[in-house]
Amino acid sequence: MSPSTLTLNNGHQIPWMGFGTGSALFGRDATKLVVQAIQSGVTHLDGAQIYNNEDSLGLAIKESGKPRAELFITTKLKPPSAGQTVDVKASLKESLRKLQLDHVDLYLIHSPYPANTEGKLQDIWKQMEEVHEAGLATSIGVSNFRVEDLQDILKIAKVIPAVNQVELHPYVWDTARQIVEFDKQHGIRTASYGGLTPIVRAPGGPLDPVLETIRKRLEETRGSPVSTGQALTKWLLHKDAVVITTTTKASRIKEFQDTENVPELDEKEIQAIDDAGSKKHHRAFMHVVFGETR
Ligand SMILES: NC(=O)c1ccc[n+]([C@@H]2O[C@H](COP(=O)([O-])OP(=O)(O)OC[C@H]3O[C@@H](n4cnc5c(N)ncnc54)[C@H](OP(=O)(O)O)[C@@H]3O)[C@@H](O)[C@H]2O)c1
């Protein structure tokens, strides 16, 4: 069964679950695991120039034999070094060559930094609009944008970003909440990454007992197993987010997709996760953008 989709502000559909070729696969050949993901029913693949493995993503797409029209492919503009000029079109064309595609479904500015400190974000967004207009990217968006970065490009935007992909889980909810709310107010779809951080990268925190209670309730209601990962992913879906994850295991892909079938959280459960999350702060990625140290 294909995963359900969410609607973007331009009417295009995006599968709620995306399989990423960064983090665990950063700089590594992603072919085998992407083929496994596609064979397990994943249709949304999240790449980036900086992951340095777009060629293996392209190879996997080809090897999978899945028709292009049934896949949703994202890549992201590599953040320039300080002072470096960006040529968005040349950069995307190079990605398309590696991916063996004539267009991507979504092209994101990977990070506002350092362009935001150099007053260059608006120029980069105008160039993003040009590649969209040229048909090289069906949708365009941003990643790791804070409210002030979004406000900056919205001053000149003819095309509102379709997506803002940010780290999102209860242990960054204190700072991410305002971004998620701003995204919603402006019709920008929030996409989450690092969503499993509270159980994978920061276990033993205040969320653990809350999540376990909710997991048990969901399991009793459904009458079949529910994992803590699924309970956490359900929280992301209640925030209306697209969920980008990754795994080496086909079984975990099935478990992830099955989150759709897990009963809904109630208002009290969502609030309990928000509250427990706000007792601990743990950012796993992109500290520089948020002015945080590790
Ligand atoms: N835009 C950005 O700046 C940015 C930054 C970071 C990531 N991303 C994107 O988001 C994608 C996903 O990133 P993520 O790694 O942060 O996703 P995640 O969903 O937070 O974590 C996935 C990792 O958790 C492990 N895992 C899953 N369930 C587990 C469990 N129950 N117990 C222990 N480990 C478990 C998986 O390993 P197994 O192989 O063992 O399942 C996998 O390595 C990346 O590949 C990338 O495409 C984007």
Side-chain angles (χ1 to χ4, degrees):
M1 194 186 84
S2 295
S4 301
T5 57
L6 297 167
T7 306
L8 300 177
N9 59 12
N10 52 18
H12 288 284
Q13 301 292 306
I14 183 168
W16 75 265
M17 176 208 166
F19 181 90
T21 56
S23 52
L25 282 171
F26 193 100
R28 292 176 45 207
D29 186 325
T31 318
K32 209 169 130 226
L33 291 178
V34 172
V35 169
Q36 171 173 273
I38 296 173
Q39 284 171 348
S40 304
V42 169
T43 54
H44 171 183
L45 299 158
D46 183 77
Q49 292 166 353
I50 206 168
Y51 301 162
N52 210 17
N53 58 9
E54 283 173 305
D55 48 352
S56 66
L57 173 55
L59 200 61
I61 293 166
K62 213 155 206 178
E63 269 187 23
S64 76
K66 190 90 173 162
R68 171 69 183 95
E70 292 175 24
L71 293 172
F72 187 102
I73 313 292
T74 299
T75 198
K76 313 186 194 82
L77 177 72
K78 184 176 177 175
S81 313
Q84 190 189 355
T85 308
V86 184
D87 185 336
V88 172
K89 193 179 222 171
S91 207
L92 178 53
K93 280 193 160 171
E94 177 62 6
S95 286
L96 292 172
R97 187 188 65 74
K98 291 180 179 164
L99 291 164
Q100 305 186 51
L101 300 175
D102 62 5
H103 73 283
V104 287
D105 298 278
L106 181 62
Y107 191 40
L108 304 176
I109 301 177
H110 203 143
S111 167
Y113 182 84
N116 53 2
T117 62
E118 298 171 356
K120 291 180 178 167
L121 272 189
Q122 294 186 351
D123 170 60
I124 295 177
W125 187 252
K126 281 183 197 154
Q127 291 191 54
M128 293 291 285
E129 292 180 333
E130 282 166 23
V131 297
H132 170 60
E133 181 69 29
L136 301 178
T138 308
S139 299
I140 49 173
V142 298
S143 178
N144 299 302
F145 270 45
R146 305 160 305 162
V147 168
E148 51 267 52
D149 303 317
L150 290 165
Q151 281 168 331
D152 187 24
I153 61 166
L154 287 180
K155 282 183 202 145
I156 53 93
K158 293 194 189 106
V159 178
I160 306 297
V163 166
N164 185 15
Q165 186 187 111
V166 293
E167 181 171 341
L168 185 60
H169 50 75
Y171 289 156
V172 289
W173 185 238
D174 53 352
T175 50
R177 174 197 288 264
Q178 50 176 321
I179 299 174
V180 172
E181 284 171 2
F182 188 90
D183 284 350
K184 200 169 275 184
Q185 277 162 18
H186 292 83
I188 302 166
R189 174 71 66 181
T190 303
S192 65
Y193 68 78
L196 295 175
T197 294
I199 58 173
V200 171
R201 303 180 184 91
L207 191 64
D208 283 17
V210 175
L211 216 49
E212 178 55 17
T213 305
I214 294 170
R215 186 199 68 74
K216 270 195 202 139
R217 199 280 296 168
L218 294 170
E219 194 164 277
E220 277 162 25
T221 306
R222 155 153 122 158
S224 62
V226 172
S227 68
T228 45
Q230 287 177 317
L232 194 50
T233 303
K234 203 77 199 177
W235 178 84
L236 291 169
L237 291 175
H238 277 284
K239 302 298 180 194
D240 294 326
V242 169
V243 183
I244 312 294
T245 186
T246 195
T247 179
T248 51
K249 303 175 179 69
S251 59
R252 204 101 89 193
I253 294 173
K254 292 284 172 210
E255 176 189 320
F256 220 87
Q257 288 164 330
D258 176 53
T259 307
E260 273 195 80
N261 309 315
V262 168
E264 302 305 319
L265 304 181
D266 64 32
E267 287 301 323
K268 274 191 185 157
E269 289 170 330
I270 295 169
Q271 190 62 50
I273 295 177
D274 290 3
D275 292 346
S278 69
K279 291 184 185 141
K280 177 179 169 122
H281 183 79
H282 184 106
R283 183 176 299 286
F285 300 93
M286 291 288 182
H287 299 85
V288 66
V289 175
F290 294 87
E292 294 179 19
T293 48
R294 276 170 199 266

